[in-house]
Amino acid sequence: MGRHSFFFKNYVSHVVLIVLAFAIAGSMFYYQMGSYALKTKQDELHTTVKSLAEQTKLMQQSDSQDFLDFYMLSVARIAKEDEITVLVTDEQGVVTLIAGTDGRAVLSPGYFIAPAAAQQIRTTGSYAAVGTMGVFTEASTYAVGTGVTDENGQLTGMVFVSTKDTSVAGMIRHSTQTLVLILLATLTVALLLSFMISQHMTRPLGVIAAAAKEFAAGNFEVRVPEDNHCYEIDELAVSFNNMARDLDQLEELTRGFISNVSHEFKTPMTTIGGFVDGMIDGTIPPEQYDKYLHIIAEETRRLSRMVGRMLDAAKIQSGELLLSPAPFDFTEMTSQIILSFEQKIERKGLAVECELTDRLMVMGDRDHLYRAVYNLVDNAVKFVDAGGKLTLHAYPDGDFCRFSIRNTGAGISDEDLPHVFDRFYKADKSRSMDKTGAGLGLYIVKNIINLHGGEISVCSHDRETKFAFTLPLAPPQLPGTKAT
């Protein structure tokens, strides 16, 4: 089967259901009409056949020729007035008298009733059917019959009456024609309404499909209506618009990321290349090689850190960042990180307050957590105001270690605060000193903490910013074991 639009499939489904429903309704109506007409006519014939059976019984009990003649005239008159055919048989089903609509009654015409009809009379005492009974040629003949019994209840004969009854057939035919016309008119209206409803229901899907094509072409600003008077489609539209906003934001962040990374890679590479060229062509004298080699080394480490962050971000995104948890001294690790920032802290004249619980043992991957804490300290040192203050706390709280780092400075705006952990996000408007990042540091920190089963938060007010996270404490160690 070929591919078709949702509108086509929806409309065809409606057409099939409507036509099927109308066909079932028409068939049931025709059956009920036929059954009602048959029952009505058979009830009328039953009244007549019972009357004729009583007369036949009296005739069988009389030996008078005059009574027989009167009986035949009576049967002929009834057959003519009621437009029926009367058959009188003996107990074996041999026809002894027949009277038709022409008003004549004939004795012993030599016909035989169908054995099934005679057998039904013998079994049940009555007969009702539509058929020939072995005598009539018209298959649509309405026929009923009853038995004639003597005083002892013995079957002595049978009486059958039948009629073609064109009036009933005409009524059924007329009713059927009227029903067909009504069904056709109603079906036409139903199909038109179904077409309009299907078109109305599928229009929002067409709008969403067109918007998706716009997205594929790179236009992330298009949106779809969210009020379609259909709960499921409205939910789809809301989800679609949310996705569009996220894609638009991600596209903007990605463009910023590419621009930042290009700039960040270009700066150290230009510095390294310039100093190396200066050493090669003699612009830089040999006595200054040591100074510029230190700068080249620092720029190389800076490039290495940037590449490492991008690799970590890619691993986090693909779920490939694996942990090797083991107990280690969180206080010792944090102290080591603070010492590595000693020169930067002195250059900015910062006051540092550390309240770290001794031998604070946590369970985690030391390398990844070193990177997370290093990023937070680097972030704080980068944005603290000159002569400002850094405050670090680490202490046990139940089964967790709580760590926080607070710095004075410009702070983070309420607009940027919900996005500081987003990938590629840089709050440059409020934190214009951020000239060396690609918006990945805090994204990596959050994911590392979350992978360890901890939570991280940020708050900023009164020109002070605070990052805090939790980590699970290591279980008590057995005697003789050594922490990493």
Side-chain angles (χ1 to χ4, degrees):
M1 182 180 239
R3 296 173 61 189
H4 298 286
S5 65
F6 178 74
F7 165 77
F8 177 82
K9 292 183 178 180
N10 186 68
Y11 182 62
V12 169
S13 299
H14 284 185
V15 170
V16 171
L17 289 175
I18 291 172
V19 171
L20 183 61
F22 274 61
I24 293 174
S27 300
M28 292 182 64
F29 176 82
Y30 182 79
Y31 174 77
Q32 290 295 331
M33 281 291 296
S35 298
Y36 173 77
L38 176 63
K39 185 177 184 305
T40 301
K41 193 61 185 176
Q42 287 180 344
D43 287 344
E44 294 177 359
L45 295 177
H46 269 300
T47 301
T48 303
V49 79
K50 287 180 179 179
S51 175
L52 290 172
E54 291 294 330
Q55 295 182 37
T56 302
K57 181 177 180 179
L58 294 174
M59 184 270 297
Q60 290 176 347
Q61 294 174 349
S62 174
D63 295 329
S64 171
Q65 182 64 38
D66 292 336
F67 191 84
L68 175 61
D69 294 338
F70 176 77
Y71 168 75
M72 293 181 63
L73 289 174
S74 176
V75 171
R77 179 181 58 81
I78 292 174
K80 182 177 182 179
E81 291 180 354
D82 292 350
E83 296 183 344
I84 59 176
T85 298
V86 180
L87 296 174
V88 180
T89 74
D90 61 15
E91 66 276 11
Q92 300 300 322
V94 178
V95 178
T96 59
L97 183 147
I98 181 170
T101 56
D102 57 359
R104 293 187 303 166
V106 181
L107 290 172
S108 302
Y111 297 137
F112 293 87
I113 286 295
Q119 182 61 35
Q120 187 172 344
I121 293 289
R122 297 188 194 100
T123 304
T124 65
S126 63
Y127 173 83
V130 178
T132 63
M133 294 194 303
V135 178
F136 309 109
T137 58
E138 294 291 342
S140 59
T141 299
Y142 294 93
V144 298
T146 189
V148 180
T149 58
D150 58 16
E151 291 80 359
N152 299 320
Q154 296 296 318
L155 184 67
T156 59
M158 307 176 198
V159 179
F160 295 89
V161 297
S162 65
T163 180
K164 190 176 179 182
D165 202 354
T166 56
S167 62
V168 173
M171 180 186 70
I172 295 177
R173 183 171 58 255
H174 177 72
S175 299
T176 303
Q177 291 174 348
T178 303
L179 174 65
V180 169
L181 290 176
I182 293 174
L183 290 180
L184 287 176
T186 308
L187 180 62
T188 302
V189 174
L191 293 178
L192 288 175
L193 290 175
S194 175
F195 180 86
M196 295 170 62
I197 292 172
S198 297
Q199 195 174 47
H200 177 74
M201 289 179 62
T202 56
R203 186 180 295 114
L205 298 178
V207 172
I208 294 176
K213 291 180 180 178
E214 289 288 328
F215 286 172
N219 180 13
F220 297 105
E221 296 181 358
V222 66
R223 299 291 183 270
V224 297
E226 297 180 359
D227 185 14
N228 300 286
H229 306 290
C230 178
Y231 179 75
E232 290 81 2
I233 295 180
D234 287 347
E235 273 198 336
L236 177 62
V238 170
S239 300
F240 190 89
N241 287 337
N242 289 338
M243 178 192 69
R245 282 188 287 269
D246 292 342
L247 287 175
D248 192 17
Q249 183 182 27
L250 182 60
E251 178 70 13
E252 182 179 352
L253 292 174
T254 303
R255 286 195 297 266
F257 167 74
I258 294 173
S259 176
N260 291 333
V261 168
S262 300
H263 173 73
E264 295 304 326
F265 276 170
K266 181 179 179 181
T267 301
M269 291 175 69
T270 301
T271 301
I272 294 170
F275 290 156
V276 171
D277 289 342
M279 293 178 187
I280 293 174
D281 61 21
T283 304
I284 298 176
E287 60 270 17
Q288 293 186 2
Y289 281 4
D290 187 63
K291 170 186 174 182
Y292 289 104
L293 285 174
H294 278 86
I295 296 175
I296 291 173
E298 180 61 31
E299 292 299 313
T300 303
R301 285 191 290 270
R302 178 181 164 193
L303 280 174
S304 178
R305 286 195 300 271
M306 290 182 62
V307 172
R309 286 183 179 181
M310 285 189 287
L311 290 175
D312 286 342
K315 290 179 180 179
I316 290 171
Q317 186 70 14
S318 62
E320 297 177 356
L321 188 66
L322 302 178
L323 302 180
S324 300
F328 71 91
D329 191 340
F330 184 82
T331 299
E332 182 272 332
M333 183 195 74
T334 305
S335 301
Q336 181 182 347
I337 293 172
I338 294 297
L339 289 175
S340 69
F341 283 89
E342 184 177 3
Q343 292 183 359
K344 292 183 179 181
I345 290 172
E346 289 179 354
R347 280 199 301 267
K348 299 187 77 168
L350 304 180
V352 180
E353 178 183 330
C354 292
E355 295 184 9
L356 309 176
T357 301
D358 290 338
R359 296 285 297 170
L360 187 55
M361 304 300 294
V362 299
M363 176 63 73
D365 188 309
R366 190 182 190 282
D367 292 338
H368 288 312
L369 288 174
Y370 184 97
R371 188 177 297 113
V373 176
Y374 185 94
N375 283 344
L376 289 178
V377 175
D378 182 55
N379 198 63
V381 173
K382 184 187 302 181
F383 297 115
V384 68
D385 52 335
K389 181 179 180 180
L390 290 179
T391 305
L392 293 89
H393 291 277
Y395 57 93
D397 182 11
D399 294 331
F400 289 89
C401 158
R402 292 192 176 275
F403 172 81
S404 66
I405 180 168
R406 184 185 299 117
N407 68 276
T408 58
I412 306 175
S413 68
D414 293 339
E415 178 184 354
D416 293 321
L417 201 60
H419 304 289
V420 294
F421 295 114
D422 291 350
R423 189 171 46 144
F424 305 144
Y425 193 84
K426 292 181 69 176
D428 288 331
K429 293 180 180 179
S430 62
R431 312 191 84 177
S432 57
M433 292 177 289
D434 188 5
K435 303 295 185 182
T436 61
L440 290 173
L442 293 177
Y443 168 78
I444 294 172
V445 170
K446 181 180 186 299
N447 281 275
I448 289 175
I449 298 301
N450 291 159
L451 285 173
H452 281 81
E455 297 290 337
I456 188 168
S457 61
V458 59
C459 60
S460 183
H461 54 83
D462 296 335
R463 295 183 60 81
E464 188 173 81
T465 302
K466 175 184 175 183
F467 285 87
F469 65 76
T470 60
L471 288 173
L473 290 173
Q477 292 185 329
L478 297 175
T481 59
K482 184 178 179 181
T484 58

